[in-house]
Amino acid sequence: MNTLALYPGSFDPITFGHLDILERAANLFERVVVTVAVNKEKSGVFTGDERVALINECLEGKEWAKSIEVDQFTGLLVNHAKKLKAKTLVRGVRQISDFEYEFRMALTNKRLAPEVDTIFLMPDEEYTFISASLVKEIAYWGSDLSSFVPENVAVALREKYAK
Ligand code: PNS
């Protein structure tokens, strides 16, 4: 039995929706590694290191997050999963519209690494519309972020967009 799950994503930046999925994953697996995909060609608002630091700050002091680690990877996700000996990938599905992309990605990963399964978790209903891209748009226009991201992330976004 494998008790390690990887929760991969861009996390540019992490939102309340991601944290909801992460808590659910932490309740299902003995260990969860949140892994930030860093794509050299596709630069985000935050660097990989910044995204990792923001996630760690969000998890600080949370009882349910004690078995969670945060790292980053470049290249193919399945190679990172193999390196960590993880057999399960966790992805959040908010709406049916997410599913087509998620299904394609899961099938591709399965073709590349048949031993690695993807499981899908649903966030609480109140988070089903939150996305990192909408959060960045709200931050860009300087509006209130408090119902979308934790305070440390809101502060970091405000600093980025003030520049
Ligand atoms: O948060 P996102 O942007 O929806 O996460 C997508 C992510 C980073 C998990 C996905 O793009 C990914 O795994 N990228 C790494 C490259 C890879 O393995 N591609 C093949 C799978 S389709």
Side-chain angles (χ1 to χ4, degrees), residues 28-160:
L28 290 169
F29 293 91
E30 272 177 18
R31 260 180 79 213
V32 177
V33 176
V34 186
T35 191
V36 175
V38 182
N39 182 339
K40 298 235 156 63
E41 275 83 58
K42 210 175 100 189
S43 65
V45 169
F46 294 100
T47 65
D49 287 345
E50 286 171 332
R51 287 181 245 170
V52 168
L54 287 172
I55 298 169
N56 275 320
E57 282 167 24
C58 292
L59 300 180
E60 239 167 58
K62 293 207 164 48
E63 191 56 38
W64 57 262
K66 287 204 157 33
S67 59
I68 297 175
E69 293 151 51
V70 189
D71 78 355
Q72 53 186 298
F73 74 101
T74 48
L76 287 178
L77 173 59
V78 288
N79 290 344
H80 192 56
K82 283 180 192 170
K83 196 173 119 197
L84 300 186
K85 298 191 167 45
K87 294 268 170 22
T88 310
L89 305 173
V90 172
R91 292 285 292 170
V93 176
R94 293 161 297 186
Q95 290 150 4
I96 284 293
S97 53
D98 283 344
F99 197 71
E100 199 179 326
Y101 165 67
E102 293 298 333
F103 196 60
R104 246 185 308 135
M105 197 156 69
L107 286 174
T108 307
N109 286 332
K110 192 115 200 94
R111 178 68 61 87
L112 294 169
E115 73 280 16
V116 178
D117 279 307
T118 302
I119 65 161
F120 299 110
L121 295 178
M122 276 168 63
D124 192 275
E125 205 181 346
E126 70 174 301
Y127 302 123
T128 48
F129 67 96
I130 300 181
S131 71
S133 44
L134 281 182
V135 162
K136 283 181 277 197
E137 204 171 319
I138 296 161
Y140 178 84
W141 295 108
S143 200
D144 178 26
L145 290 161
S146 59
S147 62
F148 303 98
V149 293
E151 182 56 19
N152 66 310
V153 178
V155 169
L157 276 165
R158 280 198 290 272
E159 278 171 11
K160 283 280 176 193

